[in-house]
Amino acid sequence: MLFFSFFKTLVDQEVTVELKNDMEIRGILKSVDQYLNLKLDDITCTNCDKYPYLDAVKNLFIRGSTVRYVHMNPNSVDCTLLQDASRREAMVQASK
């Protein structure tokens, strides 16, 4: 649940999603669900010469299992909040 709550804090911010097939898509993160499926608006493909058919697409749903990396602006990450949440989750896992 840590990553789910973390990605919920990134809603309405620009992210670049790298898929397992080496496609990179940049867009505004609109929603994320518990399976880490992502919905992006105003997308652009960073390697459009390889995937020209994505020029016509503006909104996209990405299945969480196809994501390799999510790149984001480092200024949009609250490190102290992330560290606290990691500690809390580790304490919960240790108590089980």
Side-chain angles (χ1 to χ4, degrees), residues 79-95:
C79 289
T80 57
L81 183 65
L82 188 57
Q83 289 169 353
D84 290 341
S86 299
R87 283 189 201 101
R88 281 193 299 270
E89 182 142 335
M91 288 174 56
V92 167
Q93 293 297 325
S95 66

Side-chain angles (χ1 to χ4, degrees), residues 3-20 22-33 35-40 46 61-77 82:
F3 288 109
F4 172 58
S5 6
F6 172 68
F7 281 118
K8 284 187 74 152
T9 65
L10 294 176
V11 169
D12 291 329
Q13 296 191 24
E14 186 175 65
V15 295
T16 301
V17 180
E18 184 178 337
L19 303 179
K20 290 180 180 177
D22 294 328
M23 185 184 299
E24 289 186 10
I25 301 168
R26 177 177 293 126
I28 306 296
L29 181 65
K30 282 301 171 186
S31 70
V32 61
D33 65 9
Y35 303 108
L36 300 180
N37 298 324
L38 307 172
K39 286 185 185 175
L40 300 178
T46 58
F61 175 85
I62 301 174
R63 187 177 168 126
S65 63
T66 64
V67 174
R68 181 182 294 157
Y69 298 115
V70 177
H71 305 276
M72 63 208 74
N73 186 354
N75 297 332
S76 64
V77 179
L82 188 57

